[in-house]
Structures are given as structure tokens and as C-alpha cells.
Amino acid sequence: MYPPRFEYEAPETVAEAVGLLVEGHGSAKVLAGGQSLIPMMKTRFASPEMLVDINGISDLEYHRRDADGSIRVGALCRHATLEQSQVLADHQPTMAAASALVADPIVRNRGTLVGSLCHADPQGDWAAVMASLGASVIAQGPTGERVIPVQEFAVGPFQNALAYDEIAVAAVVPPPKGKPEGGYLKMERRVGDFATAGVAVSLDRSAGGVARAGIALTGVGPRTIVAEEAAAILVERGLDPDSIAEAARAAAGAAQPKTDHRGTAEYKRHLVEVFTSRILKRIAGSSEEAA
Amino acid sequence: MGSLFEVVPADTQDEVPRRRVTVTVNGTPMSAVIETRLLLVHLLRQAFKLTGTHMGCDTTHCGACTVLFDGKPVKSCTMLAVQADGHEITTVEGLAGPSELHPIQEGFKEEHGLQCGFCTPGMMLSAKALLDRNPDPDEDEIRWALSGNLCRCTGYQNIVKSVQWAARKMNPQQGQEVSE
Ligand SMILES: Cc1cc2nc3c(=O)[nH]c(=O)nc-3n(C[C@H](O)[C@H](O)[C@H](O)COP(=O)(O)OP(=O)(O)OC[C@H]3O[C@@H](n4cnc5c(N)ncnc54)[C@H](O)[C@@H]3O)c2cc1C
Ligand code: FES
Ligand code: FES
């Protein structure tokens, strides 16, 4: 299969890329890892008149932890880089856990975290992970930058909040309010499959309590679901067997799964409860060991 | 499948977006004038006649089309040929000379790592990237590294053994207990 014809541009700066999007007037699309866009073009779900390939903008190829503890992932940071990242291994357990579970190793060499967020697939793993962390997307357009919280970024399935002349230049995780703990669990039928169900848990722990909690769910609704009630239970009551069980039930209650080829709605809801409880028990267990 | 490439003088003017690309394929710079929508797999197979790179699913799932792009495995059915301009590609033809076998190829021969052979070029290139990075992988690491390459024949067992064979051949010291 060949994609439909398009003009191809490969700018070397963000400003140039934005200029091309302005010129394109809505008929141009950004090409990042291409691991969603190229298949969509081959199958004619997308047929942009111009592709603005950002792979030559080396300024976007980074991820780092800043002095305030925030983590910033540039638009060209590949899934594979995050999988091997010492920064994440040391400081961001939820992202570290998810990075190896997105797609397959070959796709991970090209696909990007920011591209995943832009693609806004309700099945996308990064959307849930970043939502659990309260992260934001930094968009750059002709008049400057704006910050869009991840939860407002996906406005519908495969639709993001960017204007036609904006590029998502980075995703930013705010500084933790304590020691960051968390995990990501995903049921997939085989490597490279999208989630039957996935659960992202991110906690900031301080003085035995939970200073902040975020729980978000992949693949169990028309969009990434943020289980606010479940998170609130943990902040109020900390981690104990009862609060964990109740939060897990609340997370399952927040899910809106549909029966499909990946499993029944009941099964997916059950997975959410089990995964939530499994991640929380592990966190509670490891802090007991440390104490 | 019709051909999307045509060798034309560089100054040709028409409506069809074209580019001239130069790609270093298996160490040799090669150029072509191509439509921007040509995929890397087409450039390799149709323009450069390197048919060792196979096209299986054409939907980014099977990994048969895997080549090394600047040393890293990518699915050549899911990259534009223009994106390879100025970069280095290794295909299965680049593993060893025409009458030689690379240790990975030898491993697949010795351990019966293939049956129909369709997935094999992609498997071997993923294996090469693994061994370049980690000369002494354990079984789990091998299975993990090859998990984006599907095989419908072998059941993977012998593919894992083939990569282990190659690892031993490429680095004879490894995997042996060091006695003090
Ligand atoms: C076989 C296979 C399995 C997969 N499995 C999973 C999985 O299990 N979980 C999962 O989450 N994903 C999965 N994916 C998708 C993969 O993670 C993609 O890499 C990701 O969705 C898109 O990232 P990309 O960089 O490739 O973006 P592209 O494909 O380049 O772009 C995707 C969309 O986002 C836009 N875009 C990209 N970057 C920007 C930017 N910086 N600014 C503005 N717009 C931008 C593009 O215009 C396009 O509309 C899979 C893909 C494949 C092929
Ligand atoms: S042909 Fe490219 S992944 Fe199957
Ligand atoms: S040997 Fe036939 S597909 Fe792998």
C-alpha cells in the first residue's frame, strides 16, 4: 500500500515547522515517529496534502529532569529511549513501567510519547500514564507557547486540542509533592497489541501519607478515564488494606468498558480492580520493607 | 504493484512531488529520484533490487520488513523512503559478503532457525541489533528483542537457539562460568 501523494518538508527548527503549518492552513500534518500516521495514510484514514517531518529538529530530541523535579519529554523522544532511561528508572516509576509495554520493540525505536498523546487514541498507554501524573502538553504556535493539561488535550477519539498551526513540542510532568511511586499494568493479548485494559497509578508519598494520587485507565472507555474518586480515597486515608481495596473498587466503578474482541465488559472491569490493587499493594509492601 | 519510482533528470517539472535521495545501503551510497510517498521497503526492493527485505503484512505488525536504520531496527513498511536520505540502512544482504555467512546466518543454519524463511531477514536484523548492544543476552532478553518479529512456522524455539549460537560464536568467552 502506498500513502496518497503529499508534499514533504523536513524543517530543522520548530519556528520553520510552525511556519510550514501556517502556510498549510490545516492541510498539513506533523510527522513524528510515523508509527500511527503512516499506517493511517496507507489505509486512507488520513490524507494530508503536506507532511512536516520534525525528525530533523534535533532540539526536540531529549528528555530530562529539571532542578525543580519536573520531567520534560521532547517531541522526538522515542518510546525506546524512555524504556532505557536512567532518569525514569531513578525518578519516575509509572513512566518507566509503561515505556516497555507500548507497542513492540521495533515500533518503540520510532514512535514518540508526544506523538502518542497527539494521536489521542483512547487505547493509547501514554495518555493514561501522563493523566495519572497530572502532566501537560506544551504547544507552540506562531504567537508563542501554551500549556494544555493532558486531560484537556484529547478532545475526542483521535482528536487533540492543537490548532492547525501548533506543534506539541514537549510533555511535562510537574514536580512531585513527595517521593514518586507508582506503576503501570496492562493486559495485552500478545506483544504489540493495544490494551485489553490498563491501569496507571502515580502516588507522591510523604511522611507515611499520600500527598497526591492519580489513577487513570486505558482501553476501558471512549477516552482515557481518570478515576478521581479512587485517587481521593488514597489521599484521605493513605495506604492500608481497606483503603486499597476500596480504591480498587472505585477505579473499577469508574471504568466504562465495552464487550469486544479483546474481552467482555465484566472481564475488563475485573482487570481494572485487580491491577489497581496489585500496584497499590506492591507500593505499600515496598515502603514497609524500607521502614 | 505499479512502480512509484522512475529515474528522471533532476530538473523535471510536474505536479507529482518527487525528491532525490541518497542512502547508504550496506555501506554503499545509492541514489534515486522518488515520489515522496514511496516507502523505504519499496525503495530497497523495487529501486535498489534488494529483495531480501520482505513485505509481510504491510500494516506494521509482522516485522518481516525490518531493516537497521542507523543501527536500529525499524519497520521499513512504516518509514518514508525520503526519511532515509542521508542515513545508513543495513539489510540482510549487508550482513555478510555474497559467498559468506554472518555468524547470525550460520546460527540460523546450524540450529534450524527457519522453515519457510519469510520472517528470517527481519529476525536476523533484530538479532544483530541486540547482539551489537548486548553480546551475551539471556533467553528472556532474546525473546524480548525479537518480540516485534512474528514467525508463523518455527514456534520461535529454534530462533532463540540460533541467536544463542551466534552469540557464542561471536564472543567465545561468554556464558562460561569464570572459575577462580
Ligand atoms: C503495531 C503497532 C502497535 C502499537 N501498539 C501500541 C500500544 O500498545 N499502545 C500505544 O499506546 N500505542 C501503540 N501504538 C502506537 C504507537 O505508540 C505510536 O508510536 C504512537 O501512537 C504515535 O507516535 P508517533 O511518534 O509514531 O506519531 P505519528 O504517527 O508521527 O503521528 C501521530 C499523529 O500525531 C500527530 N503528531 C505527532 N507528533 C506531533 C507533534 N509533536 N505535534 C503535533 N502533532 C503531532 C501527527 O500529525 C499524527 O496525526 C502501536 C503502533 C503500531 C504500529
Ligand atoms: S511488512 Fe512491515 S511490519 Fe509487516
Ligand atoms: S520461518 Fe516461516 S515465518 Fe518464520
Side-chain angles (χ1 to χ4, degrees):
Chain A
M1 291 179 285
Y2 302 114
R5 286 190 176 128
F6 53 84
E7 295 288 341
Y8 173 83
E9 298 292 343
E12 286 177 6
T13 65
V14 172
E16 252 179 276
V18 169
L20 288 161
L21 292 181
V22 171
E23 260 173 54
H25 248 282
S27 65
K29 257 188 172 302
V30 171
L31 175 65
Q35 301 303 292
S36 297
L37 183 54
I38 293 177
M40 300 251 298
M41 289 175 66
K42 286 164 80 174
T43 49
R44 302 304 192 267
F45 284 106
S47 32
E49 284 169 27
M50 187 201 287
L51 282 187
V52 178
D53 183 352
I54 60 171
N55 285 278
I57 309 179
S58 48
D59 284 357
L60 297 177
E61 216 168 326
Y62 68 91
H63 73 290
R64 61 165 194 258
R65 181 168 175 269
D66 284 327
D68 64 355
S70 59
I71 290 174
R72 202 174 160 110
V73 179
L76 274 186
C77 181
R78 321 271 172 190
H79 306 314
T81 307
L82 297 172
E83 185 181 358
Q84 287 149 23
S85 160
Q86 200 55 47
V87 172
L88 296 190
D90 292 344
H91 301 287
Q92 211 346 278
T94 313
M95 289 175 74
S99 60
L101 299 176
V102 178
D104 66 49
I106 315 174
V107 169
R108 286 200 291 274
N109 280 336
R110 293 296 293 166
T112 63
L113 179 149
V114 171
S116 289
L117 297 178
C118 291
H119 189 51
D121 186 336
Q123 298 280 126
D125 296 299
W126 284 122
V129 170
M130 298 309 263
S132 81
L133 287 162
S136 299
V137 172
I138 313 289
Q140 185 160 331
T143 55
E145 278 191 1
R146 79 190 162 108
V147 179
I148 310 166
V150 163
Q151 279 165 259
E152 293 160 29
F153 187 69
V155 292
F158 306 102
Q159 278 186 309
N160 63 47
L162 294 174
Y164 73 83
D165 54 4
E166 283 180 319
I167 291 182
V169 288
V172 180
V173 177
K177 298 194 170 108
K179 181 179 183 317
E181 304 223 52
Y184 185 68
L185 287 176
K186 171 183 180 181
M187 175 62 78
E188 51 182 15
R189 295 173 304 170
R190 54 176 166 70
V191 168
D193 194 18
F194 286 88
T196 302
V199 175
V201 175
S202 303
L203 305 183
D204 297 341
R205 308 203 66 201
S206 60
V210 175
R212 196 201 81 92
I215 298 179
L217 316 177
T218 314
V220 288
R223 52 177 298 171
T224 302
I225 288 177
V226 178
E228 282 169 15
E229 195 192 320
I233 291 170
L234 300 173
V235 175
E236 258 166 53
R237 295 170 36 193
L239 289 183
D240 61 49
D242 284 346
S243 69
I244 288 176
E246 218 170 294
R249 272 197 301 277
Q256 304 163 27
K258 278 211 169 75
T259 297
D260 64 12
H261 57 289
R262 289 196 174 87
T264 63
E266 294 88 322
Y267 172 60
K268 294 180 188 180
R269 201 183 287 284
H270 177 70
L271 283 177
V272 170
E273 182 165 346
V274 171
F275 283 171
T276 309
S277 132
R278 211 175 268 176
I279 298 170
L280 290 172
K281 280 181 186 159
R282 191 182 38 69
I283 296 171
S286 66
S287 60
E288 258 163 44
E289 269 165 40
Chain B
M1 215 180 268
S3 154
L4 285 198
F5 59 86
E6 186 190 351
V7 180
V8 293
D11 58 0
T12 296
Q13 294 286 324
D14 61 23
E15 295 297 298
V16 179
R18 287 201 178 84
R19 279 296 170 99
R20 186 193 164 93
V21 294
T22 303
V23 186
T24 302
V25 184
N26 302 326
T28 307
M30 298 172 90
S31 296
V33 173
I34 57 169
E35 274 203 44
T36 54
R37 62 182 175 141
L38 194 77
L39 298 167
L40 180 56
V41 66
H42 305 135
L43 178 74
L44 295 170
R45 287 182 55 90
Q46 299 174 19
F48 297 157
K49 309 290 183 217
L50 292 168
T51 52
T53 302
H54 293 165
M55 174 113 83
C57 64
D58 205 1
T59 57
T60 328
H61 287 95
C62 73
C65 65
T66 303
V67 299
L68 303 185
F69 176 79
D70 294 337
K72 287 189 183 153
V74 299
K75 295 179 180 178
S76 62
C77 75
T78 314
M79 251 189 87
L80 302 173
V82 284
Q83 295 187 287
D85 189 28
H87 292 269
E88 289 193 16
I89 300 292
T90 306
T91 68
V92 67
E93 289 92 342
L95 284 179
S99 55
E100 299 156 17
L101 292 179
H102 185 278
I104 294 174
Q105 293 170 309
E106 252 183 289
F108 273 72
K109 176 167 166 264
E110 292 300 322
E111 297 289 350
H112 307 284
L114 65 147
Q115 289 176 27
C116 79
F118 201 83
C119 69
T120 315
M123 286 287 177
M124 294 198 298
L125 290 163
S126 283
K128 177 165 194 311
L130 169 69
L131 296 179
D132 285 348
R133 179 162 49 83
N134 175 3
D136 186 17
D138 63 25
E139 179 174 344
D140 281 350
E141 288 168 329
I142 294 172
R143 286 186 183 273
W144 185 252
L146 299 182
S147 61
N149 297 83
L150 303 184
C151 177
R152 310 258 56 185
C153 301
T154 63
Y156 302 100
Q157 207 70 20
N158 288 354
I159 294 178
V160 173
K161 285 189 193 155
S162 305
V163 178
Q164 288 168 330
W165 192 99
R168 283 195 302 274
K169 168 99 183 215
M170 289 161 77
N171 182 2
Q173 303 308 317
Q174 76 189 21
Q176 294 167 12
E177 299 286 29
V178 182
S179 49
E180 292 182 24

